[in-house]
Amino acid sequence: MANTILVGAQWGDEGKGKIIDALTAKADIVVRSQGGNNAGHTVIHDGTTYVLHLVPSGILRRGKVCVIGNGVVVDPIALVAEMENLRRLGIRIGKNLLISDCAHLVLPYHRVIDEQRELRKGHAKIGTTKRGIGPAYGDKAARTGLRISDLMQPILFSKKLQAKIRENNSILEALGAKAINYREVNESYLAAGKKLRPFVANTVVYLHRALQHGKEILFEGAQGTFLDIDHGTYPYVTSSNTTAGGACTGSGVPPHRMDRVLGVMKAYTTRVGEGALPTEDRQLAQRLHKLGREFGATTGRARRCGWFDAVATRYATMISGIDEVAITNLDGLDHVDPIRVCVGYRLNGKRLDVPPCDAAQLDNCEPIYEEMRGWNRSTGSSKKVSQLPLAARNYVKRIAQLTGARLSIVSVGPTRAQTIFL
Ligand code: GDP
Ligand code: IMO
Ligand code: MG
């Protein structure tokens, strides 16, 4: 393996956690470089379900080092809770976790502002995870954020926090929300800071040394291409760069040290939250939900579902330079026949081969479908591509071809064993 950036090629929840877990077997270090605890990465192993939010999914494998990079926004209270929960499940966390001192903090006023903005938007809401991600990145861009390095200096932190809470309480008051109590926040954040102190480091230096020693790094993307702040379906996006470039800026590892970009995509499409989803199909959603599938790992919300959208994944390949694809959840289509694949959009009588920038225009795009035969058989126990039904093989080949990248992994179930490497 080489240094690999793993990105979601759709709207998030593509099964990145599962694929990271499978690839970590061969990597040395796993890095999160953007997003926050809006992410929910599921890994099922030995009958236990782990949902990772801030801690890289590599933590589940012994001997691997996990890094929370400078581009991540960290809610220290949530991170401590997640670490304690992992420890309760028997996962060791010690020298195998590093947190960048440059990572920005998510504070309680970010969460309340996130919630209030959503409330005020009514039908136009984004459908955020309400984890305060947008306001935290907003403060970062406005150069008014607090960082892990501040939290490591209690006197300085308290002073900065007091000023920030004063400022944000007037915003909360204007929004009609309850004021935040400085003392409570200060106390709980300093307590969390104390617990996190042993893990805080200059992760840029750590990663550069690791590269010099020939270590292999896996960059665990969070969210997905169409939730990217620049390239996604703005404004129905998250607030970070979820595409490959984000792995560089969010970790301090330069572009020429990256060897490969792996795009993870479901064999169909899902989206949680508002915004256009051109191939949305209620019947397919009902079918998947009846099977107990496609409920959010972070918020428990039912995910919207639709057919595979090759216009979207082809564009994702362009933006992130996806070399290889991992197709997950193939088993979700086991008894669906025929299966539709979107190969183009139609907007005002014209054919489009890339998604339009404008959210309203994307909403008006009509998918142009190609139909393929289903396989009407279970794929969950297939260990090799040759064991997949012919129609399933044809399907994965076709969607990889339309995406414009080499097919390298097919996932036919949520466990480690249900991963086919090509
Ligand atoms: P992530 O955010 O990209 O890591 O994805 P999530 O964990 O939020 O959602 C993916 C869901 O699909 C989780 O429940 C996984 O356990 C599950 N999953 C991943 N790959 C497969 C697969 O090939 N088949 C099935 N049945 N489930 C899968
Ligand atoms: P993983 O890493 C799916 C969505 C939210 C909302 C929008 C903005 O598990 O794939 P935010 O809270 O970030 O301001 O919400 O982005 N969203 C995700 N959808 N998977 C995720 O992460 C997501 N993280 C955010 O539902 O539409
Ligand atoms: Mg998820």
Side-chain angles (χ1 to χ4, degrees):
M1 210 172 91
N3 296 327
T4 301
I5 301 177
L6 179 144
V7 293
Q10 295 160 323
W11 277 268
D13 301 328
E14 294 91 346
K16 299 178 293 294
K18 185 209 144 145
I19 300 299
I20 285 282
D21 173 66
L23 295 178
T24 303
K26 289 194 189 141
D28 299 299
I29 301 167
V30 184
V31 184
R32 271 283 305 272
S33 49
Q34 43 72 226
N37 61 335
N38 49 349
H41 297 177
T42 315
V43 180
I44 300 177
H45 178 58
D46 265 352
T48 306
T49 300
Y50 303 89
V51 183
L52 289 311
H53 299 287
L54 275 163
V55 177
S57 304
I59 203 79
L60 305 180
R61 293 203 188 244
R62 286 245 177 123
K64 312 293 175 178
V65 176
C66 288
V67 174
I68 297 178
N70 56 275
V72 175
V73 287
V74 177
D75 179 332
I77 310 282
L79 177 55
V80 167
E82 183 174 342
M83 288 163 67
E84 283 170 359
N85 193 37
L86 284 167
R87 283 183 175 136
R88 269 196 294 276
L89 292 169
I91 305 301
R92 280 210 295 208
I93 306 180
K95 286 195 161 50
N96 57 344
L97 179 69
L98 294 173
I99 306 165
S100 166
D101 51 0
C102 289
H104 274 252
L105 299 177
V106 178
L107 285 136
Y109 45 80
H110 293 135
R111 276 198 309 275
V112 183
I113 291 174
D114 190 357
E115 234 173 72
Q116 288 294 324
R117 282 190 185 146
E118 286 282 273
L119 253 164
R120 256 141 227 285
K121 281 194 179 128
H123 288 306
K125 72 174 185 199
I126 297 166
T128 75
T129 60
K130 298 189 182 141
R131 299 294 191 271
I133 305 299
Y137 275 115
D139 267 356
K140 173 177 172 175
R143 295 150 297 172
T144 56
L146 299 184
R147 305 197 289 180
I148 292 277
S149 65
D150 294 313
L151 187 61
M152 293 300 107
Q153 304 172 69
I155 297 170
L156 175 88
F157 175 77
S158 301
K159 215 166 131 194
K160 285 190 176 178
L161 179 72
Q162 193 162 26
K164 284 297 294 179
I165 289 192
R166 203 174 300 129
E167 175 194 336
N168 278 279
N169 273 348
S170 35
I171 298 171
L172 293 179
E173 195 189 340
L175 290 169
K178 217 176 122 215
I180 302 274
N181 182 305
Y182 159 69
R183 256 174 226 288
E184 278 172 26
V185 177
N186 188 46
E187 207 173 290
S188 60
Y189 270 61
L190 287 180
K194 217 169 162 183
K195 290 187 179 159
L196 296 178
R197 184 179 296 280
F199 306 95
V200 176
N202 182 328
T203 52
V204 173
V205 172
Y206 173 79
L207 290 171
H208 278 256
R209 292 209 175 119
L211 286 170
Q212 278 167 357
H213 287 98
K215 301 279 186 205
E216 295 199 357
I217 308 177
L218 200 47
F219 295 85
E220 177 174 353
Q223 290 81 51
T225 301
F226 296 94
L227 294 173
D228 183 285
I229 183 77
D230 285 282
H231 302 291
T233 55
Y234 193 90
Y236 301 97
V237 292
T238 191
S239 301
S240 65
N241 283 116
T242 61
T243 45
C248 295
T249 54
S251 69
V253 174
H256 70 285
R257 303 309 303 265
M258 304 296 189
D259 300 301
R260 162 173 93 140
V261 180
L262 176 70
V264 183
M265 52 199 214
K266 276 181 179 147
Y268 45 94
T269 309
T270 66
R271 175 168 203 171
V272 60
E274 307 304 316
L277 187 62
T279 62
E280 186 162 15
D281 187 279
R282 282 183 211 289
Q283 266 182 325
L284 184 62
Q286 257 180 12
R287 179 191 272 269
L288 292 164
H289 291 150
K290 263 200 196 141
L291 295 169
R293 305 168 67 124
E294 302 311 341
F295 292 94
T298 296
T299 57
R301 291 178 288 176
R303 295 175 183 146
R304 297 155 65 197
C305 304
W307 301 107
F308 186 84
D309 184 343
V311 177
T313 59
R314 197 161 49 219
Y315 198 54
T317 296
M318 245 186 242
I319 296 162
S320 288
I322 295 173
D323 305 295
E324 295 176 25
V325 290
I327 296 173
T328 69
N329 287 274
L330 181 64
D331 54 308
L333 297 179
D334 277 353
H335 300 280
V336 180
D337 192 10
I339 300 172
R340 300 173 114 185
V341 177
C342 170
V343 294
Y345 294 159
R346 202 176 302 286
L347 180 67
N348 303 326
K350 279 202 188 122
R351 186 186 165 119
L352 299 183
D353 292 311
V354 292
C357 171
D358 182 73
Q361 282 181 15
L362 182 64
D363 217 12
N364 288 329
C365 280
E366 283 202 30
I368 300 167
Y369 287 116
E370 177 177 291
E371 272 194 4
M372 295 189 72
R373 291 311 309 266
W375 43 95
N376 301 300
R377 242 177 68 194
S378 297
T379 53
S381 57
S382 306
K383 303 276 177 233
K384 298 184 202 158
V385 168
S386 58
Q387 291 172 355
L388 287 173
L390 179 64
R393 262 183 277 159
N394 287 339
Y395 181 70
V396 289
K397 273 191 210 155
R398 179 69 181 142
I399 62 177
Q401 181 197 39
L402 287 166
T403 301
R406 190 173 81 76
L407 178 63
S408 73
I409 298 173
V410 178
S411 169
V412 292
T415 67
R416 273 183 196 169
Q418 291 168 303
T419 317
I420 304 173
F421 290 90
L422 278 83

